[in-house]
Amino acid sequence: MRIDIITIFPEICLAPLRESIIGRAQETGRVNLRAHDLRDWTHDRHRQVDDLPYGGGPGMVMKPEPFFEAVEALRTPEARVILLTPQGRRFDQAEARRLSAESHLILLCGHYEGIDHRVVEALVDEELSIGDYVLTNGTLAAAVIVDAVVRLLPGVLGDERSAEEESFAAPGVLEGPHYTRPAEFRGMKVPDVLLSGHHARIEAWRRERGLERTRENRPDLQD
Ligand code: 6SD
């Protein structure tokens, strides 16, 4: 998969994606990830990407021209162009799975008050939001989406099962708790059932604890 990110802060989205699993996915060529500086598509001395809003109001609006030139330079016939915005459809695990089947994503990151709407109308295939809170810009949101999508690509996770078995794979039920050694730590014991070697009982216990957690933390997930 190829992913191009267009932002005024390329380093902010690249840094967290260089480590660990996603870093390795890049090194092994499972994903070709690039972040581009939007200012590279300006032509004035100040490399200006924003301007005053028509109709007045606070803050600045991102100019359309650099986004148009950037997308025209980077897009391929298969490219899906996505804008990160609090006004977008909510991104979740099902959306991550859907996007992991694409061959080329172009992620547009806004800053300031927002982006000239002609970009949305003429260039953008879909608007996505990573959650109901307001960030200062779209760059961290783009990094979140890349992380969630790339880990689903074939060969990216060492243990292929772990992409499947986790929370949200079974819709409406969160994962149960995990433990590792030591079996007793500061007086806190690992539940006996996990040491029993009885796989059916372990599975039933995990499911029960997952349901408990769902009821407590995410009642909205239950039917
Ligand atoms: C103006 C942006 C772009 C500002 C954002 C996305 C989400 N889920 N929260 N905040 C955001 C995106 C904020 O540029």
Side-chain angles (χ1 to χ4, degrees), residues 87-122:
Q87 283 79 45
R89 190 173 62 244
R90 179 91 139 264
F91 180 76
D92 62 12
Q93 190 62 23
E95 296 284 303
R97 216 169 293 123
R98 176 178 63 82
L99 293 181
S100 70
E102 298 285 339
S103 56
H104 186 190
L105 302 178
I106 300 180
L107 304 181
L108 308 186
C109 305
H111 190 58
Y112 313 109
E113 278 306 302
I115 295 189
D116 187 287
H117 201 62
R118 288 167 289 193
V119 172
V120 181
E121 287 170 333

Side-chain angles (χ1 to χ4, degrees), residues 10-208:
E11 203 41 42
I12 289 182
C13 59
L14 286 180
L17 300 169
R18 259 199 292 269
E19 307 293 330
S20 186
I21 293 167
I22 309 300
R24 208 146 45 238
Q26 293 187 70
E27 285 162 17
T28 57
R30 314 256 179 213
V31 63
N32 177 4
L33 174 66
R34 286 185 205 175
H36 309 268
D37 188 344
L38 180 67
R39 294 187 199 278
D40 291 349
W41 286 281
T42 58
H43 303 286
D44 62 305
R45 282 203 310 129
H46 298 105
R47 314 222 306 156
Q48 196 175 340
V49 293
D50 62 334
D51 205 339
L52 293 165
Y54 273 118
M60 299 290 270
V61 173
M62 297 191 84
K63 296 158 61 60
E65 303 94 319
F67 278 110
F68 273 77
E69 288 194 32
V71 170
E72 283 159 3
L74 295 170
R75 80 177 152 200
T76 57
E78 322 80 63
R80 189 140 188 92
V81 180
I82 298 171
L83 175 67
L84 288 315
T85 164
Q87 283 79 45
R89 190 173 62 244
R90 179 91 139 264
F91 180 76
D92 62 12
Q93 190 62 23
E95 296 284 303
R97 216 169 293 123
R98 176 178 63 82
L99 293 181
S100 70
E102 298 285 339
S103 56
H104 186 190
L105 302 178
I106 300 180
L107 304 181
L108 308 186
C109 305
H111 190 58
Y112 313 109
E113 278 306 302
I115 295 189
D116 187 287
H117 201 62
R118 288 167 289 193
V119 172
V120 181
E121 287 170 333
L123 295 180
V124 168
D125 295 308
E126 57 183 297
E127 300 173 89
L128 290 180
S129 164
I130 62 161
D132 292 337
Y133 39 79
V134 181
L135 303 168
T136 58
N137 68 82
T139 308
L140 287 175
V144 166
I145 286 179
V146 170
D147 188 289
V149 169
V150 170
R151 68 182 283 287
L152 295 176
L153 297 178
V156 169
L157 292 184
D159 178 358
E160 296 290 333
R161 273 185 328 167
S162 40
E164 290 301 317
E165 268 185 20
E166 68 205 318
S167 291
F168 305 111
V173 190
L174 298 179
E175 269 184 74
H178 303 283
Y179 293 88
T180 184
R181 293 188 293 181
E184 183 173 346
F185 171 67
R186 297 192 178 179
M188 297 177 283
K189 289 191 167 129
V190 172
D192 282 335
V193 62
L194 296 179
L195 312 178
S196 70
H198 197 300
H199 293 294
R201 263 184 231 156
I202 290 171
E203 272 323 297
W205 179 87
R206 284 182 172 151
R207 188 174 164 76
E208 197 43 54

